[in-house]
């Protein structure tokens, strides 16, 4: 305490005491202020955590049930009396592959015209009251439309099934699924509802894990089997292409700007513009992409390639800024040491600075790419909101994308069903993002060096 | 060093060539996938048709169906002939003369029109509100900016439905109307506002254009809200504004019966039977237009158009809310299509 009195003042005792009292009086106030500030900070963090927990809980609560769908257990008899199709063609030695392909297509079209619905209805009628046989079209409504194609593909793959009976868990129609999960929300016709009740009482209709959401493509005709496969592959193509296109260009420009560029007005201008570009709303990149790539270069609509080009433009500033920051973090002594032992500037940068900055660069790049993958608005403008029910074979083929798929499902007229579906798709997107971020963190932890 | 530079140049050249190939490939290569775009109302039906087409024909790729509105689809359709233009345009109204002219100027002159069904537009309120039994004049009096009263046009004074007609529910007037980007708005003008307006003698005194303008001008005092988004947005609005009356497609309403109560128009409830029998008046024909010049260019185009009209598709399309053509009309449409494709091949 006696240190507090200044040595120059020939301190009278009461003067020091008065000062001490003054300090004491303000001390309580200052402590209170600190407590208030800490409490405020904790409250802010707590509120944020609460929001995140609420968000995740509601997505999980809505999305997880979508992975368990109503199925109807039934014995499907591949009845030769109904399926009048010859066995699949085998290649003759005296025909070209094209000729065989043509015969194969013709056989498949014949197979497609077989009455698959009747096969499934026959299987369901075994569980239903006899009067149901008069309403075959309504019985077919219990199942989602895609199941007839599943049964068809089974026979196409293994023709020896003809004449045999196979026990299958058939995916129920979306409206039956909604009814099973929440009877109030159902919009089922009365007869279908009665049969669904009958099937449920018999234990034939029950919830079961379904991989449809992950393995199938989007579907309008058969909503219960709509899945994310096409969107996942489309987003994956975009992710790979963004990495291939944006990372080299971004890192190269950052290295030049940081290590080689002269400091003049021109480079200042570039720097300011890069920072501005990082803050430009993503939809503007979509507009730009639509004008340049679609209208100008005539690239195909809804193609992952165009999406990747647009997203690359959007990610470039982020990557450049992250790379520059991690290059700046490398101490100048590294460069000087390299130059001192006779390395050229290029050698100093590529042999010494860049390897040390790599973890930071990769982290920045991955986080930039993860942000790009979750972007929706620019993709809508280049036609990626189209309905595509195939998995793209190349990045030039039309495709869906994960975030756009969520947006489309959210607007689907079969709301009661697709709300859960959209939440499940959000889960898939979140898992993808979190694993990308986790990878970035791992990279940083693994290779980071502190100075 | 020199060698390395040379090497880099070569690599650069290779990269440039690869990029150029990537950019040019889609322009050169013929297209395998049929591309469809247009009306958002037709989108669900066209998507189902595309998907079923893909299942039925293993030799063709499944077509891609984009949205963009009737006008937007036709603009893309009329941009020209070639693999970077779309093959089919979906519309919820017939093509206009100006659009045909635009098409012709760009070399698209063999256009096959296919009318494939009817779509009904319904008025629906929240499940909790009492049912509406609407007449076109009710809607006109609730929505118009100027309404006739004692032979003169006055700013719309009506605040509650019961003020228009004592038989209507005693709730505040609030209409969720489709914005101008929707083709639905035009149908509502033609099938509801103009007939409703014609019931009043005061309107008959005006000349044609003035009457049309007066009949279709909507009030701006906040009782009519324009919805630019899709029907999901209208539904979400109804949840927070339960006394409002919204406009939906029949298919959308049928899938959301648990939340909506539908209004009758002229005493007729909207069902597919009533639409098919022409008893429910607020309905419109749906079309798609096929580019005849592309029949040889894009594989499967002919088959796609014919498959859209095939009887196997009637059930899934009806489930999605479409009122399909009756058998005679279907046969006529198929014959017209056959004739058009044969004319093109000849």
């Amino acid at each position: 305490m006696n240190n507090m009195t200044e040595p120059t003042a020939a301190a009278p005792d009461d003067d020091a005491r008065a000062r001490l009292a003054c300090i004491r009086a303000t001390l309580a106030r200052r402590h209170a202020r600190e407590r208030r500030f800490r409490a405020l900070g904790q409250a802010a963090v707590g509120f944020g955590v609460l929001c995140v927990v609420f968000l995740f809980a509601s997505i999980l609560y809505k999305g997880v049930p979508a992975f368990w769908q109503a199925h109807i257990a039934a014995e499907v008899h591949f009845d030769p009396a109904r399926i009048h199709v010859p066995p699949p063609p085998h290649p003759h030695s005296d025909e070209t592959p094209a000729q065989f392909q043509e015969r194969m297509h013709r056989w498949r079209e014949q197979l497609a015209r077989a009455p698959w619905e009747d096969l499934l209805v026959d299987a369901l009628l075994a569980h239903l009251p006899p009067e149901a046989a008069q309403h075959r079209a309504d019985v077919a409504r219990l199942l989602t439309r895609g199941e007839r194609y599943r049964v068809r593909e089974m026979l196409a793959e293994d023709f020896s099934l003809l004449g045999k009976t196979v026990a299958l868990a058939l995916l129920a129609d979306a409206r039956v699924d909604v009814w099973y999960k929440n009877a109030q929300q159902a919009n089922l016709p009365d007869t279908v509802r009665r049969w669904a009740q009958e099937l449920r009482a018999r234990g034939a209709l029950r919830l079961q894990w379904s991989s449809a959401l992950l393995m199938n493509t989007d579907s309008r005709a058969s909503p219960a089997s709509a899945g994310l496969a096409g969107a996942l592959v489309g987003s994956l193509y975009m992710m790979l292409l963004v990495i291939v296109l944006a990372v080299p260009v971004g890192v190269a420009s950052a290295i030049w700007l940081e290590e080689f560029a002269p400091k003049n007005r021109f480079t200042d201008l570039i720097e300011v513009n890069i920072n501005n570009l990082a803050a430009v709303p993503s939809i503007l990149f979509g507009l730009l992409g639509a004008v340049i790539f679609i209208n100008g270069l005539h690239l195909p609509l809804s193609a992952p390639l165009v999406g990747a080009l647009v997203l690359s433009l959007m990610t470039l500033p982020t990557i450049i800024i992250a790379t520059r920051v991690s290059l700046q973090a490398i101490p100048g002594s590294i460069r000087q040491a390299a130059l001192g032992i006779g390395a050229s500037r290029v050698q100093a940068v590529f042999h010494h600075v860049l390897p040390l900055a790599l973890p930071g660069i990769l982290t920045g790049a991955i986080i930039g790419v993860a942000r790009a993958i979750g972007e929706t608005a620019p993709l809508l403008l280049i036609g990626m909101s189209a309905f595509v029910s195939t998995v793209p074979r190349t990045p030039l083929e039309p495709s869906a994308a994960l975030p756009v798929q969520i947006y489309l499902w959210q607007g689907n007229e079969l709301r009661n069903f697709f709300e859960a579906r959209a939440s499940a798709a959000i889960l898939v997107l979140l898992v993808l993002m979190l694993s990308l971020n986790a990878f970035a963190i791992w990279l940083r932890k693994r290779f980071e060096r502190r100075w | 060093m020199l060698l390395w530079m040379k090497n880099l140049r070569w690599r650069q050249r290779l990269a440039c060539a690869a990029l150029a190939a990537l950019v040019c490939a889609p322009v050169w290569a013929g297209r395998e996938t049929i591309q469809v775009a247009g009306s958002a109302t037709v989108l669900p039906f066209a998507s189902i048709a595309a998907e079923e087409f893909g299942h039925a024909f293993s030799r063709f790729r499944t077509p891609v169906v984009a949205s963009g509105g009737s006008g937007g689809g036709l603009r893309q359709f009329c941009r020209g002939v070639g693999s970077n233009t779309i093959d089919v345009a979906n519309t919820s109204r017939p093509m206009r003369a100006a659009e045909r002219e635009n098409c012709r100027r760009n070399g698209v002159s063999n256009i096959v029109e296919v009318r494939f069904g009817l779509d009904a537009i319904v008025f629906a309120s929240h499940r909790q509100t009492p049912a509406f039994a609407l007449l076109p004049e009710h809607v006109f009096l609730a929505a118009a900016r100027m309404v006739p009263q004692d032979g003169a046009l006055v700013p719309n004074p009506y605040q509650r439905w019961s003020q228009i007609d004592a038989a209507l529910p005693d709730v505040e007037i609030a209409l969720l109307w489709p914005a101008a980007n929707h083709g639905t708005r035009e149908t509502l003008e033609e099938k509801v506002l103009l007939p409703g307006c014609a019931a009043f003698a005061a309107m008959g005194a005006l000349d044609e254009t003035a009457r049309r303008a007066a009949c279709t001008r909507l009030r701006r005092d906040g009782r009519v809200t324009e919805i630019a988004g899709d029907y999901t947005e209208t539904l979400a609005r109804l949840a927070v504004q339960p006394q409002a009356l919204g406009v939906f497609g029949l298919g959308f309403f049928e899938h959301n019966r648990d939340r909506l109560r539908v209004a009758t128009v002229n005493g007729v409830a909207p069902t597919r039977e009533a639409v098919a029998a022409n008893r429910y008046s607020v309905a419109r024909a749906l079309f798609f237009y096929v580019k005849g010049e592309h029949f040889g260019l894009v594989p499967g185009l002919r088959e796609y158009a014919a498959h859209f009209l095939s009887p196997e598709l009637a059930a899934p399309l009806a489930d999605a809310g479409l009122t399909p053509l009756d058998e005679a009309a279907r046969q006529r449409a198929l014959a017209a299509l056959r004739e058009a494709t044969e004319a093109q091949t000849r």
Side-chain angles (χ1 to χ4, degrees):
Chain A
M1 267 294 125
N2 43 12
N3 285 358
M4 307 243 340
T5 54
E6 290 162 36
T8 43
D13 233 18
D14 51 329
D15 196 14
R17 215 173 288 130
R19 196 174 296 165
L20 208 63
C22 173
I23 289 172
R24 281 217 179 100
T26 59
L27 195 64
R29 246 201 346 263
R30 288 191 307 173
H31 278 174
R33 195 176 286 166
E34 187 177 334
R35 273 197 303 276
R36 262 205 311 279
F37 180 74
R38 282 190 187 198
L40 221 68
Q42 281 169 353
V45 171
F47 180 70
V49 168
L50 211 71
C51 285
V52 170
V53 166
F54 177 74
L55 179 75
F56 274 74
S58 73
I59 291 173
L60 281 171
Y61 176 74
K62 276 194 203 156
V64 169
F67 286 96
W68 279 266
Q69 287 186 254
H71 284 75
I72 302 175
E75 309 247 307
V76 178
H77 177 50
F78 288 90
D79 189 353
R82 286 207 186 275
I83 312 292
H84 304 285
V85 179
H90 288 287
H92 294 315
S93 51
D94 57 342
E95 69 180 353
T96 63
Q99 281 170 334
F100 172 65
Q101 195 62 37
E102 178 58 30
R103 281 205 299 139
M104 195 68 188
H105 281 314
R106 231 175 273 148
W107 179 75
R108 291 209 55 114
E109 274 158 24
Q110 207 179 344
L111 196 69
R113 281 193 294 269
W116 299 101
E117 188 181 300
D118 287 335
L119 224 62
L120 296 173
V121 170
D122 286 344
L124 289 187
L125 283 179
H127 293 301
L128 293 174
E131 69 269 17
Q134 257 90 70
H135 309 278
R136 295 183 70 95
D138 281 338
V139 175
R141 286 211 165 86
L142 282 164
L143 292 175
T144 195
R145 211 176 153 72
E147 286 309 273
R148 63 187 70 181
Y149 304 120
R150 181 177 145 212
V151 176
R152 183 185 80 190
E153 289 314 302
M154 280 175 69
L155 191 70
E157 264 164 42
D158 180 6
F159 202 73
S160 68
L161 282 176
L162 193 65
K164 288 186 190 149
T165 302
V166 185
L168 288 175
L170 299 167
L171 198 54
D173 183 71
R175 280 169 296 181
V176 175
D177 184 75
V178 170
W179 170 81
Y180 192 99
K181 287 171 179 162
N182 185 349
Q184 268 105 53
Q185 287 187 344
N187 296 302
L188 279 176
D190 283 338
T191 45
V192 179
R193 185 197 304 261
R194 230 177 309 115
W195 293 331
Q197 265 158 358
E198 174 83 20
L199 287 170
R200 193 178 185 171
R202 282 165 166 258
L205 176 65
R206 56 174 181 263
L207 287 186
Q208 204 173 316
W209 164 263
S210 167
S211 60
L213 189 62
L214 296 173
M215 305 306 290
N216 291 358
T217 55
D218 192 17
S219 173
R220 281 267 187 175
S222 170
S225 48
L228 289 169
L232 263 173
V233 173
S235 277
L236 226 61
Y237 276 140
M238 280 197 277
M239 193 171 88
L240 291 177
L241 282 171
V242 169
I243 291 173
V244 168
L245 294 170
V247 175
V249 177
V251 171
S253 19
I255 290 175
W256 183 76
L257 281 172
E258 192 60 38
E259 303 284 339
F260 298 101
K263 289 270 167 280
N264 57 27
R265 280 206 175 177
F266 177 66
T267 49
D268 280 351
L269 190 75
I270 289 182
E271 196 175 326
V272 169
N273 275 312
I274 287 173
N275 288 330
N276 281 340
L277 274 181
V280 163
S282 58
I283 192 142
L284 296 185
F285 289 101
L287 281 172
L288 182 83
V291 170
I292 294 180
F293 301 125
I294 307 277
N295 295 344
L297 291 175
H298 292 312
L299 288 177
L301 277 166
S302 351
L305 173 71
V306 184
L309 287 169
V310 170
L311 293 179
S312 296
L313 289 181
M314 202 193 84
T315 323
L316 264 178
T318 321
I319 294 180
I320 294 177
I321 291 171
T323 307
R324 294 191 68 178
V325 167
S326 49
L327 285 174
Q328 277 160 10
I330 308 299
S333 55
I334 299 281
R335 291 180 192 89
Q336 284 149 16
L339 295 174
I341 55 166
S344 70
R345 281 180 71 189
V346 172
Q347 282 173 328
V349 168
F350 282 91
H351 294 181
H352 301 279
V353 179
L354 196 59
L356 290 170
L358 212 54
I361 295 174
L362 285 179
T363 311
I366 290 172
I367 286 174
V369 170
R371 224 197 70 188
I373 289 307
E375 201 55 67
T376 322
L379 299 183
L380 294 180
L381 291 176
I382 53 153
M384 290 209 75
S385 59
F387 172 78
V388 184
S389 70
T390 45
V391 178
R393 289 176 300 189
T394 68
L396 283 168
E397 282 187 2
S399 159
L402 262 184
V404 181
Q405 191 69 70
I406 294 169
Y407 168 77
L408 291 179
W409 280 357
Q410 198 65 41
N412 191 295
E413 62 272 10
L414 208 62
R415 264 180 55 100
N416 293 333
F417 184 74
F418 274 102
E419 234 169 18
R421 216 74 175 159
S423 291
I426 292 173
L427 275 181
V428 174
L429 183 64
L430 279 179
V431 167
L432 193 73
M433 304 276 244
L434 288 180
S435 45
L436 274 178
N437 284 345
F439 183 58
I441 290 171
W442 178 81
L443 274 180
R444 197 167 56 214
K445 282 268 180 304
R446 178 83 173 69
F447 296 108
E448 191 176 47
R449 197 177 290 190
R450 293 202 175 276
W451 308 97
Chain B
M1 190 66 192
L2 206 86
L3 198 81
W4 182 72
M5 282 287 284
K6 226 176 175 174
N7 202 0
L8 188 87
R9 283 253 177 81
W10 178 78
R11 269 196 230 160
Q12 275 176 339
R13 246 179 250 161
L14 196 74
C16 287
L19 202 73
L22 208 66
V23 167
C24 297
V27 186
W28 293 332
R31 189 150 43 75
E32 276 183 52
T33 316
I34 299 172
Q35 284 194 325
V36 185
S39 162
T41 313
V42 182
L43 181 79
F45 309 128
S47 304
I48 289 172
E51 214 182 319
E52 294 290 319
F53 169 76
H55 281 302
F57 295 92
S58 65
R59 71 180 76 207
F60 303 124
R61 306 271 299 154
T62 306
V64 170
V65 189
S67 189
S70 299
L74 283 173
R75 236 192 333 275
Q76 280 189 56
F77 183 80
C78 292
R79 203 168 276 159
V81 175
S83 61
N84 60 345
T85 59
I86 63 168
D87 313 305
V88 180
N90 299 325
T91 66
S92 54
R93 56 169 173 78
M95 202 170 185
R96 295 186 184 127
E99 287 164 338
R100 244 175 230 285
E101 179 54 30
N102 179 29
C103 258
R104 206 187 48 76
R105 239 182 289 124
N106 291 323
V108 184
S109 45
N110 184 8
I111 303 168
V112 185
E113 179 185 89
V114 182
R115 183 171 172 274
F116 67 92
L118 291 166
D119 170 53
I121 294 161
V122 308
F123 293 95
S125 54
H126 194 273
R127 200 93 186 94
Q128 287 161 3
T129 52
F132 282 85
L134 293 170
L135 294 175
E137 44 266 43
H138 294 156
V139 181
F140 165 67
L141 288 180
R145 192 179 308 171
M146 305 291 272
V147 294
Q149 228 172 31
D150 307 324
L153 281 183
V154 295
N156 196 330
Y158 298 110
Q159 304 297 322
R160 305 182 79 80
W161 287 98
S162 51
Q163 293 167 351
I164 294 175
D165 190 327
L168 289 171
D170 184 29
V171 292
E172 296 242 345
I173 293 173
L175 275 165
L176 305 177
W177 205 260
N181 57 334
H182 290 285
T184 318
R185 187 187 177 104
E186 211 172 297
T187 313
L188 286 175
E189 285 173 1
E190 293 297 329
K191 306 279 175 160
V192 183
L193 291 183
L194 290 175
C197 188
F200 297 96
M203 291 297 185
L206 298 167
D207 72 74
E208 177 64 27
T209 36
R211 186 168 65 226
R212 201 182 163 89
C215 289
T216 58
R217 199 175 294 139
L218 300 178
R219 66 201 288 185
R220 284 233 189 96
D221 53 359
R223 298 218 168 259
V224 176
T225 312
E226 298 197 7
I227 307 282
D230 53 16
Y231 294 140
T232 324
E233 190 187 330
T234 314
L235 189 66
R237 286 257 183 170
L238 276 187
V240 289
Q241 210 180 342
Q243 80 284 6
L245 193 65
V247 173
F248 298 94
L250 179 61
F252 189 91
F253 158 68
E254 284 180 341
H255 285 307
N256 292 279
R257 272 175 196 282
D258 59 319
R259 290 161 212 243
L260 295 174
R261 185 186 298 284
V262 76
T264 60
V265 177
N266 286 325
V268 183
T271 58
R272 266 189 296 278
E273 294 71 38
V275 177
N278 218 353
R279 277 186 290 123
Y280 186 77
S281 57
V282 197
R284 59 182 159 178
L286 300 179
F287 302 85
F288 63 88
Y289 291 88
V290 187
K291 202 178 279 178
E293 284 84 354
H294 281 193
F295 277 131
L297 184 79
V298 184
L301 190 54
R302 200 184 313 252
E303 288 83 353
Y304 167 75
H307 196 71
F308 208 132
L309 295 171
S310 75
E312 301 105 83
L313 248 75
L317 289 178
D319 271 348
L322 182 78
T323 307
L325 299 178
D326 58 58
E327 188 52 32
R330 197 177 70 79
Q331 289 301 343
R332 245 179 290 133
L334 270 176
L337 186 69
R338 214 171 303 124
E339 198 173 302
T341 61
E342 270 160 19
Q344 179 65 19
T345 3
R346 251 188 270 129

